[in-house]
Amino acid sequence: MTDSLKTLSEHRCFGGMQSFHEHASREIGLPMRFSVFLPPQAEQGPVPALMYLAGLTCNEETFMVKAGAQRMAAELGLALIAPDTSPRGAAVESLPGASASWDFGIGAGFYLDATEAPWAQHWRMESYLVHELLPLVAQALPIDGQRIGLFGHSMGGHGAFTLALRHPGRFKSLSAFAPICAPTQCPWGEKAFGGYLGAERSAWLAHDACALMQSQTAPPYPAGILVDQGLADKFLAEQLHPHLFEAACRAAGQPLQLRRHAGYDHGYYFIQSFMADHLRHHAGALT
C-alpha cells in the first residue's frame, strides 16, 4: 500500500514537518490526498496523532493552513492528520450534480460509505479513513496507530462523532467544533443521507450522532467529550442542533463539555480561538 504513496511537498514548521501526500486508494478507487504535521518529537520515534475531519467544501489543506494548530501540536508532541473530505477526479466530476454543488458532490462526503448509485462506487469515506488511511500513515510515518484521537468541524464534527461511536475503542479521545449533531433532523443531513443512503430513513440512524449516543450502554468516553459552539453561527438553529446531542449524552451518562460562545461564528477564526483547548483535551488522553 505504501508503494503508491507520493509526497507532494514538505515544509519545516515549528521544528517539525508539514507534508502533503497522495496515494491510490483501494477503498475509494481513485487517488486521495491527505496532509500530516509531524512534531519534532517524531524524530525520536512514533508519536500519538489527531485526525481532523473538515467541513463542507474543504479539502486536505484547509485545516493545516487555517486552523493554527501546528505550534501547540509541536509543543505537545502530537501529529496532525487531515484527510480530504470526499473523492475527487474525473470519475467523480462526471457524476450528476457532483461538479455543480456540494449536494452529494465535491467536498461533501459526510464520512460514510454510500449505498446508493451512483455514489456507492467511490463514496466510501468511512472505510477509507478507518481501514485504509490510518493504517497507511502508521506504516509509512512515525505515528503510533494505537494512540489516535478524533475531532472535526461542522460536517467533520458529525464525522468525528459517528466514526468514534461506530468504531468503539479505535479513537482514544473525541472533540468537535460546531458539529452537525443530528443529521437526520436537518436539511444538510436529509439531503446528503437521502442521496447517499436512500429514502429509507431508518437506515440513516446508523450515521446520526444523537441516535448512536442514545444506543450506548455505557459512556464511550468517560473522560469527556469537548464541543465548542459559536452563538453567532448562522447555521446553529437550522443545521447543527447541539442541544440534541447534549440531551443524548445526558441520557447515556456520557460526560460532555459543551461550551457556547457569544459572538463567534462558524468559520476558522472561531476554530483558531479554541484550538489550543482541543489539543490539550486530546493530549491528556493520548500522551
Side-chain angles (χ1 to χ4, degrees), residues 82-101:
D84 203 348
T85 59
S86 303
R88 312 267 173 178
V92 168
E93 292 168 0
S94 65
L95 293 175
S99 61
S101 72

Side-chain angles (χ1 to χ4, degrees), residues 49-53 81 83 111 129-130 134 147-153 156-167 170-176 221 225-226 278 281-282 286:
L50 277 175
M51 184 164 70
Y52 176 87
L53 305 182
I81 306 165
Y111 303 104
L129 295 174
V130 176
L134 288 178
R147 291 189 293 163
I148 304 291
L150 187 59
F151 66 154
H153 168 233
H158 143 78
F161 286 165
T162 57
L163 294 187
L165 295 173
R166 285 171 57 81
H167 299 273
R170 183 67 186 88
F171 302 98
K172 307 305 182 186
S173 54
L174 180 62
S175 73
Y221 288 91
I225 298 171
L226 174 62
H278 284 250
H281 167 80
H282 289 277
L286 299 174

Side-chain angles (χ1 to χ4, degrees), residues 253-268:
Q254 168 60 54
L256 172 70
Q257 188 178 15
L258 172 55
R259 309 190 303 185
R260 296 171 169 92
H261 304 280
Y264 286 89
D265 61 20
H266 196 69
Y268 272 82

Side-chain angles (χ1 to χ4, degrees), residues 61 75 80 89 102 108 159 164 166 193 242 258 280:
E61 294 184 333
E75 295 176 4
L80 303 171
W102 67 264
R166 285 171 57 81
F193 283 11
L258 172 55
R280 292 191 192 99

Side-chain angles (χ1 to χ4, degrees), residues 32-278:
M32 290 293 289
R33 292 187 174 187
F34 64 94
S35 58
V36 175
F37 171 72
L38 291 175
Q41 295 86 338
E43 296 179 2
Q44 308 304 317
V47 294
L50 277 175
M51 184 164 70
Y52 176 87
L53 305 182
L56 297 167
T57 74
C58 296
N59 61 26
E60 77 284 355
E61 294 184 333
T62 309
F63 171 78
M64 296 301 187
V65 173
K66 292 186 175 182
Q70 289 95 332
R71 180 193 294 272
M72 178 153 285
E75 295 176 4
L76 296 172
L78 292 173
L80 303 171
I81 306 165
D84 203 348
T85 59
S86 303
R88 312 267 173 178
V92 168
E93 292 168 0
S94 65
L95 293 175
S99 61
S101 72
W102 67 264
D103 301 354
F104 338 126
I106 293 175
F110 266 79
Y111 303 104
L112 51 75
D113 289 355
T115 59
E116 298 296 300
W119 316 109
Q121 180 179 0
H122 299 302
W123 264 255
R124 296 181 49 78
M125 290 300 295
E126 178 175 3
S127 291
Y128 168 68
L129 295 174
V130 176
H131 302 305
E132 185 174 6
L133 181 61
L134 288 178
L136 172 64
V137 296
Q139 180 181 357
L141 299 169
I143 286 174
D144 183 347
Q146 301 305 308
R147 291 189 293 163
I148 304 291
L150 187 59
F151 66 154
H153 168 233
S154 192
M155 179 186 73
H158 143 78
F161 286 165
T162 57
L163 294 187
L165 295 173
R166 285 171 57 81
H167 299 273
R170 183 67 186 88
F171 302 98
K172 307 305 182 186
S173 54
L174 180 62
S175 73
F177 297 92
I180 300 173
C181 292
T184 62
Q185 302 181 58
C186 75
W188 281 345
E190 289 178 337
K191 186 174 290 186
F193 283 11
Y196 294 142
L197 303 175
E200 180 51 61
R201 296 180 70 97
S202 62
W204 300 3
L205 296 175
H207 300 278
D208 184 291
C210 291
L212 288 167
M213 183 59 74
Q214 289 168 352
S215 71
Q216 301 298 307
T217 58
Y221 288 91
I225 298 171
L226 174 62
V227 175
D228 280 299
Q229 175 63 61
L231 294 180
D233 189 325
K234 65 181 180 181
F235 304 117
L236 174 58
E238 185 177 21
Q239 304 285 9
L240 304 182
H241 301 320
H243 64 288
L244 297 180
F245 189 68
E246 186 176 40
C249 287
R250 186 181 304 115
Q254 168 60 54
L256 172 70
Q257 188 178 15
L258 172 55
R259 309 190 303 185
R260 296 171 169 92
H261 304 280
Y264 286 89
D265 61 20
H266 196 69
Y268 272 82
Y269 296 115
F270 155 66
I271 292 173
Q272 289 179 25
S273 300
F274 303 102
M275 178 56 62
D277 293 342
H278 284 250

